[in-house]
PDB file of all heavy atoms in Angstrom:
ATOM      1  N   GLY A  10      10.849  10.282  27.361  1.00 75.00           N
ATOM      2  CA  GLY A  10       9.395  10.282  27.388  1.00 75.00           C
ATOM      3  C   GLY A  10       8.786  11.159  26.310  1.00 75.00           C
ATOM      4  O   GLY A  10       9.436  11.538  25.346  1.00 75.00           O
ATOM      5  N   VAL A  16       8.352  24.863  19.284  1.00 83.00           N
ATOM      6  CA  VAL A  16       9.226  25.061  18.131  1.00 83.00           C
ATOM      7  C   VAL A  16      10.379  24.073  18.254  1.00 83.00           C
ATOM      8  O   VAL A  16      10.886  23.833  19.341  1.00 83.00           O
ATOM      9  CB  VAL A  16       9.777  26.511  18.093  1.00 83.00           C
ATOM     10  CG1 VAL A  16      10.779  26.693  16.971  1.00 83.00           C
ATOM     11  CG2 VAL A  16       8.627  27.513  17.956  1.00 83.00           C
ATOM     12  N   PHE A  33       8.738   7.412   6.574  1.00 85.00           N
ATOM     13  CA  PHE A  33       7.926   7.486   5.352  1.00 85.00           C
ATOM     14  C   PHE A  33       8.641   6.951   4.114  1.00 85.00           C
ATOM     15  O   PHE A  33       8.011   6.754   3.072  1.00 85.00           O
ATOM     16  CB  PHE A  33       7.479   8.929   5.090  1.00 85.00           C
ATOM     17  CG  PHE A  33       6.353   9.367   5.985  1.00 85.00           C
ATOM     18  CD1 PHE A  33       6.604  10.104   7.127  1.00 85.00           C
ATOM     19  CD2 PHE A  33       5.040   9.022   5.690  1.00 85.00           C
ATOM     20  CE1 PHE A  33       5.576  10.491   7.970  1.00 85.00           C
ATOM     21  CE2 PHE A  33       4.009   9.406   6.528  1.00 85.00           C
ATOM     22  CZ  PHE A  33       4.275  10.134   7.669  1.00 85.00           C
ATOM     23  N   ARG A  43       2.052  12.072  -2.972  1.00 76.00           N
ATOM     24  CA  ARG A  43       2.932  12.298  -1.830  1.00 76.00           C
ATOM     25  C   ARG A  43       2.169  12.022  -0.539  1.00 76.00           C
ATOM     26  O   ARG A  43       1.056  12.474  -0.346  1.00 76.00           O
ATOM     27  CB  ARG A  43       3.398  13.749  -1.893  1.00 76.00           C
ATOM     28  CG  ARG A  43       4.486  14.098  -0.974  1.00 76.00           C
ATOM     29  CD  ARG A  43       5.148  15.404  -1.386  1.00 76.00           C
ATOM     30  NE  ARG A  43       4.248  16.515  -1.548  1.00 76.00           N
ATOM     31  CZ  ARG A  43       4.133  17.520  -0.693  1.00 76.00           C
ATOM     32  NH1 ARG A  43       4.841  17.527   0.411  1.00 76.00           N
ATOM     33  NH2 ARG A  43       3.314  18.503  -0.936  1.00 76.00           N
ATOM     34  N   THR A  47       7.585  17.603   2.474  1.00 91.00           N
ATOM     35  CA  THR A  47       8.941  17.780   1.960  1.00 91.00           C
ATOM     36  C   THR A  47       9.814  18.293   3.103  1.00 91.00           C
ATOM     37  O   THR A  47       9.307  18.712   4.149  1.00 91.00           O
ATOM     38  CB  THR A  47       8.974  18.803   0.813  1.00 91.00           C
ATOM     39  OG1 THR A  47       8.599  20.093   1.344  1.00 91.00           O
ATOM     40  CG2 THR A  47       8.047  18.406  -0.332  1.00 91.00           C
ATOM     41  N   ALA A 106      -4.603  15.390  12.399  1.00 86.00           N
ATOM     42  CA  ALA A 106      -3.330  14.709  12.664  1.00 86.00           C
ATOM     43  C   ALA A 106      -2.627  14.535  11.325  1.00 86.00           C
ATOM     44  O   ALA A 106      -3.000  13.685  10.522  1.00 86.00           O
ATOM     45  CB  ALA A 106      -3.565  13.371  13.344  1.00 86.00           C
ATOM     46  N   PHE A 109       1.951  10.601  11.908  1.00 84.00           N
ATOM     47  CA  PHE A 109       2.484   9.801  13.001  1.00 84.00           C
ATOM     48  C   PHE A 109       3.750   9.174  12.423  1.00 84.00           C
ATOM     49  O   PHE A 109       3.702   8.606  11.339  1.00 84.00           O
ATOM     50  CB  PHE A 109       1.524   8.682  13.402  1.00 84.00           C
ATOM     51  CG  PHE A 109       0.195   9.190  13.877  1.00 84.00           C
ATOM     52  CD1 PHE A 109      -0.853   9.356  12.990  1.00 84.00           C
ATOM     53  CD2 PHE A 109      -0.004   9.504  15.209  1.00 84.00           C
ATOM     54  CE1 PHE A 109      -2.078   9.826  13.415  1.00 84.00           C
ATOM     55  CE2 PHE A 109      -1.226   9.978  15.655  1.00 84.00           C
ATOM     56  CZ  PHE A 109      -2.266  10.142  14.764  1.00 84.00           C
ATOM     57  N   PHE A 110       4.844   9.295  13.109  1.00 88.00           N
ATOM     58  CA  PHE A 110       6.066   8.698  12.575  1.00 88.00           C
ATOM     59  C   PHE A 110       6.854   8.016  13.688  1.00 88.00           C
ATOM     60  O   PHE A 110       6.966   8.531  14.792  1.00 88.00           O
ATOM     61  CB  PHE A 110       6.921   9.718  11.824  1.00 88.00           C
ATOM     62  CG  PHE A 110       7.235  10.993  12.567  1.00 88.00           C
ATOM     63  CD1 PHE A 110       8.463  11.158  13.190  1.00 88.00           C
ATOM     64  CD2 PHE A 110       6.322  12.030  12.626  1.00 88.00           C
ATOM     65  CE1 PHE A 110       8.763  12.334  13.860  1.00 88.00           C
ATOM     66  CE2 PHE A 110       6.613  13.218  13.282  1.00 88.00           C
ATOM     67  CZ  PHE A 110       7.845  13.367  13.913  1.00 88.00           C
ATOM     68  N   VAL A 138     -12.788  17.493  20.352  1.00 84.00           N
ATOM     69  CA  VAL A 138     -13.578  16.263  20.434  1.00 84.00           C
ATOM     70  C   VAL A 138     -13.370  15.328  19.243  1.00 84.00           C
ATOM     71  O   VAL A 138     -13.764  14.169  19.298  1.00 84.00           O
ATOM     72  CB  VAL A 138     -15.087  16.569  20.599  1.00 84.00           C
ATOM     73  CG1 VAL A 138     -15.336  17.305  21.902  1.00 84.00           C
ATOM     74  CG2 VAL A 138     -15.636  17.356  19.429  1.00 84.00           C
ATOM     75  N   ASP A 143      -6.112  11.011   7.579  1.00 69.00           N
ATOM     76  CA  ASP A 143      -6.364  10.156   6.417  1.00 69.00           C
ATOM     77  C   ASP A 143      -5.395   8.991   6.468  1.00 69.00           C
ATOM     78  O   ASP A 143      -4.195   9.163   6.485  1.00 69.00           O
ATOM     79  CB  ASP A 143      -6.239  10.940   5.103  1.00 69.00           C
ATOM     80  CG  ASP A 143      -4.909  11.629   4.936  1.00 69.00           C
ATOM     81  OD1 ASP A 143      -4.686  12.656   5.599  1.00 69.00           O
ATOM     82  OD2 ASP A 143      -4.083  11.140   4.142  1.00 69.00           O
ATOM     83  N   VAL A 159      -6.966   4.446  22.861  1.00 63.00           N
ATOM     84  CA  VAL A 159      -7.622   5.541  23.594  1.00 63.00           C
ATOM     85  C   VAL A 159      -9.098   5.261  23.847  1.00 63.00           C
ATOM     86  O   VAL A 159      -9.825   6.134  24.301  1.00 63.00           O
ATOM     87  CB  VAL A 159      -7.427   6.902  22.882  1.00 63.00           C
ATOM     88  CG1 VAL A 159      -5.958   7.264  22.830  1.00 63.00           C
ATOM     89  CG2 VAL A 159      -8.056   6.908  21.498  1.00 63.00           C
TER      90      VAL A 159
END
Side-chain angles (χ1 to χ4, degrees):
V16 175
F33 284 98
R43 191 163 54 106
T47 65
F109 299 91
F110 52 100
V138 297
D143 56 285
V159 297

